[in-house]
Amino acid sequence: MRVNHFAGTGKLLKLYLRRDKIILPIWILLPMLAISGQISFVKAMPDWQMFINELSASPITSAILGPIVPLSIEGAILWRGLVQASIAVMFGAAFTVIRHTRTEEASGRIELVFGRPVGRYANLTAALILTFGGSMLAGLLSVAALIGNGFAITGSLVAGLTLAASGFVFAGIGGLCSQIFEHSGSARGCIFGVYMLTMVAMVINNIGGGATYWAWLAPESWFRITLPFEENHVWKFLVFVVLSALPMIFSYMLLIRRDMGAGLITHKEGTDSASPNFNSPMVLAWWQQKGSILAWAIGMAFLGGIMGMGTPNVSEAISFSFAHMDTEWASAIVKLGNQEGFMAILIYMLGLMGGLSVFAITVVQRLRREEKEHYAEMVLSRPVSRSNWMVSYLAVAFAGSALILLVLGLASGLGWSVASGEFSHFLRVLGMSLSKIPPVWTIIGIAALLYGWIPRIGSILNWLILGIFIFIEMLWEVGIVGWSAMQWTYFAYAHYSIPIHELSIVPLIVLTVIAAALTWLGVIGFKRRSIG
Amino acid sequence: MNVIETRELTKYFGRQAALKGLDLTVKQGEVYGFIGPNGAGKTTTIRILLGMLRKSGGDVKLLGGDPWQDAVALHKRLAYVPGDVTLWPNLTGGEVIDFLGSLHGKVNPSRRKELLDRFQLDPKKKCRDYSKGNRQKVALIAAFLSDVELLILDEPTSGLDPLMELTFQECIFEAKKQGKTVFLSSHILAEVEALCDRVGIIRQGKIVESGTLEELRHLTRTTVTVELVKPMNLTLLQGVYDVSQKEGKWRFSVDANAMETVMNVLAPMGIKFLTAEPPTLEELFIRHYGDKLGGKESK
């Protein structure tokens, strides 16, 4: 009998399309929005020509975001636009695959499907097709945005295909993680880890001038290989497609060999009784979060250490034109110096804007999940007050984020100090990292407030607020808005542009008080609403 | 023809043995009750039968095919209800029923409506708003809606109310009338007693007893209540257990093979009143599991 492992793929694909009416369009549209944003952004600048000349003259931006290639308006758009767009596509693709494979398996829903005449590969295949289509569409929409703004068709196409390819490869990695881990949360965590590694490769490539082989390991830098609007290496897109097929092939090989519901990593038996200290919601909250806190701390130690050691490679030379740029941003960087600025920006990105913001929001969203999965009921039906339960989780979030920032500061400070032989850097870097604690706590406070009052849309609002603040930050960097706009965000009060010894402590104390007040309000909301 | 047949079936999870040589035979057209305590291996067996788990050893045949190799072809001929039904939270019950049905082919609209009515399910609700029982109903309706030869049901009624339990039993009787085979794993012994032609009792990964209910009963004791004219002490009789006396009536249980001897002893004593109750499945079950060591006295 011929075995049709793919039977039912089409029907599952339809189901997934039906189920993904919100999440899929978001990550498909985001890249186009990011690119369009960059287009209007660059065009809105009074003199973009001068801007790109000067930015490419700055060793510090080259080190972080890489040199602008080609040195034209297109290059200026892709330089940042594609990095942002690829974040959306890479995570969107990987999470979509995980959502339809491992999540379905862990929830048991897949049993209903596989009890029907559905092939063993149908589920993974449908998820991959969906993600492939999504990545392609995200790429093509970005192409449309570029062409619509009058840029060359070939270059736009190469840029869009390169973007789509970053989705392909992360779809494959998502599929692979789904085979390896028994829980979808671990699979998603693994994606974060893989993304961090690609970021390391990206920065190493950028420090090395932007055209090293490291770029192959960083899908967000693949446009430095295909070089849209310059050499337009379309054939390299085909190499990416072949590359992304590898994790997919592995996924299929693992899938056919394993039992439904099982992963590669099996679980050992635990203890038969709880330790006497395991006796409060606080311990429970810690127990549930410690894995992710530990993973974040290790990740930050790794990234911070590597970046710290790379810092002495950043040239301290400041070009004449850059020194005379008249944005607030440029003068701040000149004042800091390149190495100090590089470190400050990295700590800022990892410790606040990019990294810890995500940690803070996801860790508070854990509350929502506990509630939705009815775990909260089991605890709250015992003599445990609602405020006790909620504050326990938040306390772990507060302490955990502080711990991760401490680790980040220690690792980056040590890395830089050891590599340069200059230990005076250590305390300054540690200070930079610790100064991010109050703003991160404010994020937790906002998340707690939203969870307490409007849990259903709270999580989306959380990400939206973060997105808006990041957008304000970008506008400020190119001089479209002034510092007064930045001051509406929690970013401003531990900002990288302020030298650490000039950072004033009062706003940080105020932020801490605000975080406490928001948390308190959130708890009040939670006590007043129904659960479930 | 045997619809399900396993020989010496084993399944290991790491070093832990879930099935230790399971022999199971389900004949065409019968309703087979698969009973056993939690963790005995019922769900593992079912998942192997469905090709979701790979067997570690032994033979397994389902509808004449290999459940792992021929999963797709075999699943066209069966419908399955898992024990723990989770559904897609943002789809309605009706959508789930149609989607699952579409995997089998066409959904018969009149049959769909009939089942929705019988199980009193509101198909417009989102699955996240269904209670456990209602989720179970969605899975049951989806299963009964498919025109298949074999129904594999893993504790399908654990969340249903007594009325719905009756509806479920009706549906099983209908399926049986149409010549379908039903493999029913259950905890609800009254349900098994009401529905099943044959029963298999699984314990620690092995079938410890199987046969028709009559056969199983034959293996164990009958409870007898008797009122005698002449006084006598029943406690001394061979094959008689749990003797008690209340308001002049003796009550005891008696081994099947001792029945003749006991009756011969009782008859001359003048029987004024006598009832003999066959053991309920529950009693059978408890006799198999009640002791810590394993049903050594059952044979």
Side-chain angles (χ1 to χ4, degrees), chain A residues 34 104 108 232 242 248-249 254 256 284 291 297 304 306 317 376 383 417 434 450 456 474 486 516 520 522:
Chain A
E104 288 294 279
N232 288 328
V242 173
M248 294 182 196
I249 292 167
L254 289 173
I256 197 80
L284 177 69
I306 286 197
S417 304
L434 295 182
L450 292 173
R456 276 207 180 202
M474 279 165 47
M486 272 298 282
W520 180 68

Side-chain angles (χ1 to χ4, degrees), chain A residues 26-74:
Chain A
I26 288 180
W27 70 261
I28 289 176
L29 287 175
L30 269 179
M32 186 185 72
L33 295 178
I35 302 270
S36 310
Q38 286 297 328
I39 294 173
S40 40
F41 206 56
V42 175
K43 284 187 170 170
M45 277 179 232
D47 188 354
W48 60 265
Q49 204 101 41
M50 194 186 87
F51 168 74
I52 56 173
N53 283 335
E54 285 165 355
L55 274 197
S56 59
S58 155
I60 181 167
T61 48
S62 297
I64 294 170
L65 282 162
I68 296 175
V69 281
L71 212 51
S72 64
I73 187 162
E74 292 95 337

Side-chain angles (χ1 to χ4, degrees), chain A residues 168-349:
Chain A
F168 296 168
V169 76
F170 261 60
I173 294 172
L176 194 56
C177 289
S178 287
Q179 308 309 315
I180 294 171
F181 297 98
E182 244 177 67
H183 300 290
S184 46
S186 323
R188 280 192 297 269
C190 181
I191 294 298
F192 270 108
V194 173
Y195 183 76
M196 274 215 250
L197 292 178
T198 68
M199 262 175 49
V200 173
M202 177 186 85
V203 173
I204 293 178
N205 179 58
N206 289 341
I207 291 179
T212 67
Y213 285 110
W214 286 98
W216 285 93
L217 294 178
E220 58 271 53
S221 288
W222 279 357
F223 69 97
R224 297 188 182 283
I225 296 172
T226 53
L227 298 171
F229 300 107
E230 197 180 34
E231 294 177 28
N232 288 328
H233 292 309
V234 187
W235 62 273
K236 281 181 177 158
F237 169 72
L238 300 175
V239 181
F240 297 149
V241 173
V242 173
L243 267 183
S244 52
L246 292 177
M248 294 182 196
I249 292 167
F250 275 124
S251 309
Y252 282 109
M253 282 164 59
L254 289 173
L255 178 61
I256 197 80
R257 276 169 179 76
R258 69 181 177 87
D259 282 342
M260 189 196 69
L264 276 191
I265 295 157
T266 46
H267 296 276
K268 280 183 289 187
E269 271 190 0
T271 56
D272 63 344
S273 51
S275 97
N277 300 324
F278 197 89
N279 57 3
S280 66
M282 184 80 83
V283 186
L284 177 69
W286 163 247
W287 197 255
Q288 284 172 306
Q289 315 275 18
K290 70 174 180 182
S292 90
I293 291 174
L294 204 67
W296 273 90
I298 292 171
M300 288 298 167
F302 175 74
L303 284 180
I306 286 197
M307 301 299 181
M309 298 221 261
T311 306
N313 297 332
V314 177
S315 158
E316 279 289 18
I318 288 180
S319 74
F320 177 78
S321 57
F322 187 72
H324 289 85
M325 235 171 111
D326 58 357
T327 63
E328 289 175 8
W329 179 77
S331 48
I333 295 299
V334 171
K335 190 172 162 196
L336 281 172
N338 286 340
Q339 292 187 2
E340 180 96 7
F342 175 78
M343 185 45 85
I345 291 178
L346 277 174
I347 296 278
Y348 178 75
M349 286 192 341

Side-chain angles (χ1 to χ4, degrees), chain B residues 264-278:
Chain B
N264 285 337
V265 174
L266 292 182
M269 309 310 283
I271 299 176
K272 279 209 286 191
F273 169 90
L274 183 134
T275 60
E277 304 152 39

